[in-house]
Each structure stands twice: as C-alpha cells, then as structure tokens.
Amino acid sequence: MELKDLLLTPIYLAIFYGIAFSVRKKYTNALTKKYFIPALSLKFLGAIALGLIYQFYYGGGDTFNYYGHTKVVYEAFMNSPSAGLQLIFGSTEGYNPEVAQYVGRLYWYHADTEYFVVRIASFFGLFCFNTYTIIGLLFAALSFSGMWAMYLTFIHIYPLAYKKLAIAVFFLPSVFFWGSGLMKDSVCIGALGWTFYGFYHATILKRNVLFSTIIGLIGAYLLVSVKVYILLSFLPPALLWVFNENNRRIKSAAARMLLKPFFLLMGLGAGYLGATRLTAGDDKYDVDKIGERTKINSEYLTSQVANGSAYNIGSFDGSLGSMVKVAPQAITVSLFRPFLFEARNPVMLLSAMEAALFLYLTVSLFYKTGVLKSFRLIASQPILTFCFIFSVVLAIGVGTNSGNFGTLVRYKIPLMPFYLGALYIMQFMARPQRKIRTAQLQVNRAKKVELLASTE
C-alpha cells in the first residue's frame, strides 16, 4: 500500500457510500433496509483488512500478485491507451507487437483464470489511479451486489428467517473477509449470488424471465471464467430443484410418487451433461480428469505448508472411486474443521469458531428435530434439498482439493451461506406451529411485507 491509498481511499469511500444510500430505497424494504449499509460496510472492512493482513502479516500473496499485474497494465495504458485496453480486453493468443514489451512482465498472461481477475482489477484501476485499496473496495462492491441478490432470493423463498438469513449471507467473518478484496473469491461469491438469483427467478418463480436470465448467465460466465468447479457443483442440485418444484405442483399424490424418480434422474442427467460439456477438453477441470488433478493439487498444497495447517483425509489414488471413499472425511473437514484445538493462528481461529458454530447447529438441530424427521424435511422442501446437495458436493470438492486449512478457508466460502442458510430455514420449519404463527405475525406487521425480496 502506498501514500495514495491513504489520500484517495476516504474520498472514494464517501462516493461509494453516497451511491449506496441513493440506491438503498430501490433495493430494500421495511425488513431488509437495516442490513444494507452494515453488510456493505463489512465488505469494505474486509477488503481493507485483507490488504493489511497480506502486507503486514503474510508479507505478500495472491492479492498483491494481482495488483502487480495491474501496475503493468496501467503503465501500458498511460503510455498508450490502445495498448492498455488491448491488455484488458484483447486476446492473449498469438503475437501482438503493441503489447509485446509488457507481456513478458505479466506472469499470469497465459493463465486464463488468474488473468481474468487481472483484467477486472485493471479495468477498475483506470478509474482510481490504479490504487490498490480502491480496487479492493470495488471488488467488495461487486461481491456485495451478488450477495445482496442471494439474500433477496433466500428471503423471498422463506421470509420468516430474514434475520438469521442475513447472518448466514453477510455476517460470517470468513465470508466477508476472504470474499471482499482483490481476490478470485470475491468475484466467485458475487457471481454465485447472481447465478442463484437469476436461476430462481427465471426457472422457478418465472418472474422477469429475460432480466433474470441475463443476470444468471452473467454470473455463470464469471464462474466459468474464474472457478468453474463452483458452477459444476451448482448445476446438478439446481436442475434437480426445478424438477422437484414441478413435481410438487402435481396435484395427484400417486402421480407425484411415480414421477419423482423420473424427475430425479432427469435432474442428475442434465447436471452431468452440463458439467461434461462445460469442461470438455479442459486440462484442469475435465470431469474425466478431476480425480487425477485433485490428487496432484492436494499433494502440492500439503507439501507447501510448514506451519501445521495441513490435514489428511486419507489416501486416494486420483480415481473417482477413491474420491467417493474419502468423501465423508472431505465433507467433515470442509464443514466442521478446523476444530478449535487445531487453530494455529488468528485467521485459523476465526475459521475454527465458524466450524464450531456449524457443528453445534447441525448436531442440535438434528437432535431436537430427530434424524429421520430432519431428512424427511430436507427431502420434502426443494430449497433445502438444493442447499444441502450443493453444499455437500462442493464440500467434497474443496475438502479433497485443498490439503491445508489455509486454502480450505478460502475455497469453502461459497458453500457457507447456503449450508448455514439451510440450517436456519430448517430451524424455523421444525418449530411448533404456534411459534411459526407468532413469527409470521411479526413479519406481517412490517410495512410492505408483501413486497419482501421482490424489489428487483
């Protein structure tokens, strides 16, 4: 960070808050208004804290590697605007004499996913004199827009839990810290929110279909460009969600029972076809190579750790069969670890506290509700089925792919709002009817409750 960060950040923060207050009325209502500015403020705090911790605690890292690339692009733009725009928007294939002198200094120029983040950061840098902190704040705002869309979707589905759903989406420390600054994770968590919003409104609610489809496709494009495995984890349960919703609308109980296995197979089949077509020929994410790449990546990340944050979920040889074998350990490590006694530094301690919360809520909810009743509830409510399947699938992927808690805490943040949100929704659904009616009355007393989460 430099002197211009100190001088320009307060000015830009004032501008960003001015914009936020001006649009808040359009995108909130009586129940959600109070969360808008605090949630955005936490994102801004997370972006600034991320930079400070990487600079003064870690002494460098990915966020400053991205920024180093933006410096080269900004220099090119100052020397020749056409060269700078070519580096931001142009193809990285072939030889271009206009940018050749800069390409050699861009280590990630041919790394598609990393350079995609560089493109976004460099574009933002054009509007803030390429100031690191302000670029981070813009990433935080981009992420927040998707997460607000995620929150609106959740409370449209189950408005009674609007308070706790706000906690699940906005107030988990790992999510607003790792998902706010100049990192891939900020783009991904925001894009996932847009994808979730667009998918629900276009295919299930069937409202503002064109707009919702565009928003969903933009989110999906960003996920494909940065971390396609998140979209691969999203697709099968999302398509199953559509089929489950359609199955619920069939009036005949017998017909529902007969058609449910068909809808299940259709959802899983469509998800698999989507996944294989998205990754066909990709050396990194091709479905046929996922096991092999996972094994290599896990071993590499584990070998790079010397501070006691590595974990072991058992041996696997890279085959999909062996991944299935270690899946229970991968789910456990992703959702419920590190345990408190495994924390080795302040960052791990925060993650351990969140994992302890997840473990406590899961055990207490299943204990109070009953294991069989809990699974019946999950199976009967399409939103719960979607959230838990998505969380479990992504948990298996990141749990087997990380190898150490340092990377795991970043990789797993997309599943955290969905898993915790599903637990909170289950918590309300499992309440006695008397308490549910009381909660409903409290919601109905709020002004404009009939417009809840429909302020697109």
Side-chain angles (χ1 to χ4, degrees):
M1 294 188 184
E2 307 165 26
L3 180 61
K4 62 181 179 180
D5 290 89
L6 296 175
L7 296 176
L8 295 177
T9 298
I11 298 172
Y12 276 82
L13 271 175
I15 295 171
F16 295 155
Y17 275 114
I19 295 172
F21 277 104
S22 67
V23 303
R24 181 176 61 171
K25 184 176 181 181
K26 181 178 180 181
Y27 296 103
T28 65
N29 55 44
L31 295 179
T32 62
K33 180 180 179 180
K34 61 184 176 182
Y35 300 116
F36 191 83
I37 297 301
L40 178 63
S41 299
L42 275 181
K43 299 293 285 183
F44 286 159
L45 177 63
I48 295 172
L50 182 81
L52 292 173
I53 287 178
Y54 265 94
Q55 182 170 5
F56 296 108
Y57 183 78
Y58 291 122
D62 285 348
T63 187
F64 289 115
N65 292 332
Y66 289 122
Y67 182 58
H69 283 63
T70 69
K71 286 183 175 180
V72 177
V73 177
Y74 190 71
E75 177 188 329
F77 184 83
M78 289 294 100
N79 294 333
S80 169
S82 63
L85 293 175
Q86 176 66 29
L87 288 173
I88 296 174
F89 299 108
S91 172
T92 58
E93 301 297 326
Y95 176 78
N96 187 336
E98 189 176 18
V99 300
Q101 61 178 311
Y102 305 105
V103 169
R105 297 160 58 191
L106 296 170
Y107 176 77
W108 282 332
Y109 187 69
H110 293 291
D112 292 340
T113 58
E114 286 77 12
Y115 196 69
F116 187 83
V117 178
V118 172
R119 292 179 191 271
I120 298 173
S122 298
F123 178 74
F124 286 160
L126 300 181
F127 302 96
C128 61
F129 307 99
N130 203 52
T131 306
Y132 170 83
T133 304
I134 299 170
I135 293 173
L137 293 176
L138 287 166
F139 267 74
L142 182 73
S143 174
F144 172 76
S145 66
M147 296 194 73
W148 189 257
M150 181 191 298
Y151 178 57
L152 293 182
T153 306
F154 268 127
I155 62 174
H156 191 282
I157 297 169
Y158 203 79
L160 294 183
Y162 74 97
K163 291 181 181 179
K164 290 195 172 182
L165 286 171
I167 296 173
V169 176
F170 300 119
F171 301 118
L172 287 172
S174 290
V175 176
F176 72 73
F177 177 74
W178 294 108
S180 296
L182 175 46
M183 298 284 276
K184 283 182 181 181
D185 310 281
S186 304
V187 178
C188 291
I189 192 74
L192 181 60
W194 295 334
T195 305
F196 181 52
Y197 175 95
F199 181 86
Y200 173 74
H201 283 76
T203 65
I204 294 175
L205 195 61
K206 296 181 175 64
R207 178 182 297 174
N208 296 333
V209 174
L210 179 60
F211 173 79
S212 300
T213 301
I214 292 172
I215 291 296
L217 289 176
I218 291 173
Y221 169 74
L222 291 174
L223 289 175
V224 169
S225 300
V226 182
K227 290 187 178 182
V228 69
Y229 66 82
I230 298 175
L231 186 61
L232 300 184
S233 302
F234 179 90
L235 274 177
L239 291 170
L240 178 60
W241 186 10
V242 174
F243 292 123
N244 279 340
E245 286 287 354
N246 289 328
N247 189 59
R248 288 181 71 190
R249 292 167 187 169
I250 298 173
K251 294 181 179 180
S252 169
R256 283 201 307 272
M257 184 66 67
L258 290 172
L259 289 173
K260 192 164 187 177
F262 171 75
F263 284 134
L264 176 63
L265 291 174
M266 285 284 291
L268 294 175
Y272 178 77
L273 287 175
T276 52
R277 289 186 178 276
L278 276 173
T279 61
D282 191 310
D283 289 336
K284 194 173 183 181
Y285 295 113
D286 194 314
V287 169
D288 295 331
K289 302 176 183 177
I290 282 179
E292 178 185 353
R293 295 295 306 178
T294 295
K295 181 176 184 291
I296 294 171
N297 196 42
S298 177
E299 290 177 348
Y300 170 77
L301 289 172
T302 302
S303 70
Q304 298 299 304
V305 175
N307 62 359
S309 66
Y311 63 81
N312 183 9
I313 60 171
S315 61
F316 59 102
D317 58 14
S319 67
L320 290 179
S322 67
M323 287 183 65
V324 172
K325 183 179 178 181
V326 299
Q329 298 95 309
I331 294 169
T332 300
V333 78
S334 296
L335 294 178
F336 309 126
R337 290 180 65 189
F339 299 124
L340 289 171
F341 60 83
E342 293 177 308
R344 297 291 182 269
N345 55 59
V347 176
M348 279 184 66
L349 180 60
L350 280 177
S351 181
M353 292 171 67
E354 291 168 343
L357 172 66
F358 278 36
L359 181 59
Y360 168 74
L361 287 175
T362 303
V363 172
S364 63
L365 180 62
F366 276 74
Y367 176 76
K368 292 177 182 177
T369 308
V371 175
L372 291 179
K373 184 178 178 181
S374 296
F375 280 111
R376 282 198 298 268
L377 188 59
I378 293 170
S380 66
Q381 299 296 324
I383 180 59
L384 296 181
T385 306
F386 162 76
C387 285
F388 281 114
I389 293 179
F390 169 65
S391 299
V392 166
V393 170
L394 190 56
I396 294 171
V398 300
T400 55
N401 203 47
S402 300
N404 69 79
F405 294 119
T407 53
L408 177 67
V409 68
R410 288 166 47 196
Y411 290 174
K412 73 178 185 178
I413 64 170
L415 70 84
M416 294 175 72
F418 289 90
Y419 186 79
L420 186 58
L423 287 179
Y424 282 144
I425 291 173
M426 277 186 68
Q427 205 174 53
F428 272 84
M429 288 182 172
R431 285 181 172 184
Q433 287 299 312
R434 175 179 54 80
K435 292 187 177 181
I436 292 178
R437 285 194 295 270
T438 301
Q440 183 68 63
L441 287 173
Q442 292 174 347
V443 171
N444 290 339
R445 289 192 192 103
K447 296 178 180 179
K448 303 178 182 178
V449 68
E450 69 278 2
L451 300 178
L452 185 61
S454 60
T455 53
E456 299 92 6

